[in-house]
Amino acid sequence: MQNPSLELQIQSLPDGPGVYQYYDKEDKILYVGKAKNLKKRVSSYFNKVHDTAKTNVLVKKIVNIKHIVVPTESDALLLENNLIKKLQPRYNVLLRDDKTYPWLCIKKEPFPRVFSTRRMIKDGSEYFGPYTSFKTVWTILDLIKELYPLRTCNYDLNEKNIANHKFKVCLEYHIGNCKGPCEGFESKENYDEQVNAIRQILKGNFKESLKDFKKKMTEYAANMQFEEAQKIKEKIEVLENYQSRSTIINPKITNIDVFSIVSDEGAAYVNFLQIAHGSIIRSHTLEIKKKLDETDEELLELAIVELRERFHLLSKEIIVPFAVVVGENIKVTIPQLGDKKQILDLSERNAKFYRIEQLKQLQIVDPDRHTNRIMAQMQKDLRLSVEPRHIECFDNSNIQGTNPVAACVVFKDGKPSKKDYRHFNIKTVVGPDDFASMEEVVFRRYKRMLDENEPLPQLIIIDGGKGQLSSALKSIDALGLRGKIAIVGIAKRLEELYYPGDSAPLYLDKKSETLKVIQYLRNEAHRFGITFHRDKRSKSALNSSIESIPGIGEKTMLTLIQHFKSVKRLKLATENEISAVVGVSKAKKITDFYKTSNP
């Protein structure tokens, strides 16, 4: 670092927790970050070369540093979140979700209505949510409507208006959806009991409602009111059915929030589940667009603060996959097994599914961005110095030692470039020697590319383990390409990746896109090589037959083989059958030949 002003600013930073802000020469905000130790964290930006180009560019632009000291690290996290949303710095992650969500409102009024809304009005009404899907809202409202007959009108049902008979019952009363409080047909006490039961359901507590309904059903049955008892029984079934669809785990697990994260090079996806009485009462996945090389820990902490604020979460316990700093009075649980681990796994599956859906959409809407993301991910997974935009994969094919051949397939930007595929007849190797064959074809391929000044690939994949890789490396060394092209070997059985000079293999996630691309390459090379090998064997068999029959050319023999399907069937065919295909003269020559050679 050569800026004396910056050095002085860093030296004056305190050692305690706080938030730092980077500004450029035009005093525009570049980045906001939090730190447990401000001086150590800020210094780390300037005393090394970073892995990502974006971070190095950011550091070059910084000319001024401001900071805010706070009592604790969790306070710093809250302040960081608020400043990011307020200032929207260029190099901070994007929380890609700012739409308004629906709430369920219990209106503060005589005989309260229950309805959905996107607006929260501070008039003393109760709001439950927000919900991330209107489908969920309508499902809950339908449940409430089936269980409890509430009014939907917006009349002012105060005692004076009801006493003066200001309102008349509507169609909802006549079809049984409302009990007519507007004309005093339903008491306020009875109505409020129903609203309280709805309040408990919205909190995820079905126990009280089920208890009350069962009590009423028993009373009706005891009084021989079987029709009324049946109606209550139907309500119980509706509520139990909804509860069974909602309950995922131990009902004793309540008032807990679950957070998980999956990420790739470009973005992270944080799933959130709100659990009450063993039921998921809310689920949401937040996409975070990365700007620098943020860790999963940093992103999850940021997302938890954002989601707790956005959804007004007040739970005292959260379940997460690893340790995070989120607040002074919040219990952080990192389950290893049991019911809570099952909930965490469920949340992670939701995050993975959401990511897959987003990537599918991206592949359709923005294929270039999709390709760029995969290339960046492959560079990271395979520990390459550059993105593998041009990859070549080699495979040997020989069956029982005959007709040894090799194939080279070429992928550009993660997709097959079939015009660049190449076949090789093995020239210098006698017998089925896969190692020597690999050494030959790799040498021939890149010797020619060097001679013709063609662009070399960034990555070579050898279909085989350590032995095949070592053979290919001999040719790479002979051509002086060691260090200029990355090369790995992939073992067939366990999908192990071997690197030069590294005895321990690299294992990729079985579901990773990097492994899928490599498997696609390997399978293409195998398919391409086998096809060439079969063609060569067929032609060899055909040529041996053609050459041994005087006066019969290749074209005639090919016509006969296509008709009779094999040389064996041709030998067994009669002269009349052959003459029907190629004429009498040629037919006689063929049958005479086979009679002479097979007396």
Side-chain angles (χ1 to χ4, degrees), residues 116-282:
S116 66
T117 180
R118 288 188 184 272
R119 294 174 59 217
M120 288 182 68
I121 302 171
K122 295 183 179 179
D123 60 356
S125 298
E126 293 177 80
Y127 291 88
F128 295 86
Y131 296 91
T132 55
S133 164
F134 251 114
K135 183 180 178 183
T136 305
V137 172
W138 294 127
T139 301
I140 295 172
L141 284 175
D142 286 344
L143 172 72
I144 290 169
K145 191 175 181 179
E146 285 194 60
L147 298 175
Y148 303 104
L150 300 182
R151 73 180 180 114
T152 56
C153 63
N154 57 3
Y155 296 149
D156 181 5
L157 298 187
N158 59 51
E159 290 183 14
K160 183 179 178 182
N161 287 341
I162 294 172
N164 292 336
H165 303 289
K166 188 173 180 179
F167 310 111
K168 296 291 183 183
V169 293
C170 62
L171 180 63
E172 289 291 297
Y173 170 79
H174 293 294
I175 62 177
N177 290 339
C178 175
K179 291 185 177 180
C182 58
E183 287 198 51
F185 297 156
E186 182 178 22
S187 69
K188 191 172 187 308
E189 290 73 23
N190 184 68
Y191 195 100
D192 285 345
E193 278 182 21
Q194 294 186 115
V195 171
N196 186 55
I198 291 168
R199 189 178 287 113
Q200 293 303 313
I201 289 173
L202 293 177
K203 290 179 179 178
N205 184 5
F206 301 86
K207 187 177 178 182
E208 292 303 317
S209 293
L210 284 168
K211 183 179 175 183
D212 290 342
F213 280 136
K214 287 176 181 177
K215 183 181 177 183
K216 286 180 184 178
M217 183 179 69
T218 305
E219 288 172 357
Y220 281 131
N223 294 326
M224 311 292 282
Q225 294 173 279
F226 297 117
E227 190 174 331
E228 294 299 324
Q230 178 61 28
K231 289 179 181 177
I232 297 296
K233 183 183 178 185
E234 289 171 2
K235 290 181 186 290
I236 291 171
E237 288 172 352
V238 168
L239 191 55
E240 285 181 335
N241 181 50
Y242 182 83
Q243 184 189 26
S244 67
R245 285 190 289 117
S246 302
T247 301
I248 56 155
I249 205 141
N250 190 336
K252 293 180 181 178
I253 297 178
T254 187
N255 198 24
I256 288 177
D257 300 329
V258 184
F259 300 92
S260 64
I261 184 170
V262 297
S263 65
D264 53 37
E265 282 297 285
Y269 303 85
V270 176
N271 177 259
F272 149 63
L273 300 177
Q274 186 176 5
I275 310 295
H277 303 282
S279 301
I280 296 176
I281 61 173
R282 185 183 288 118

Side-chain angles (χ1 to χ4, degrees), residues 42 99 105 243 257 291 298 406 442 495 500 519 530 575:
V42 173
K99 61 185 177 184
C105 174
Q243 184 189 26
D257 300 329
K291 288 297 186 73
E298 292 171 331
V442 169
E495 310 295 17
Q519 288 172 330
I530 286 292
E575 188 172 334

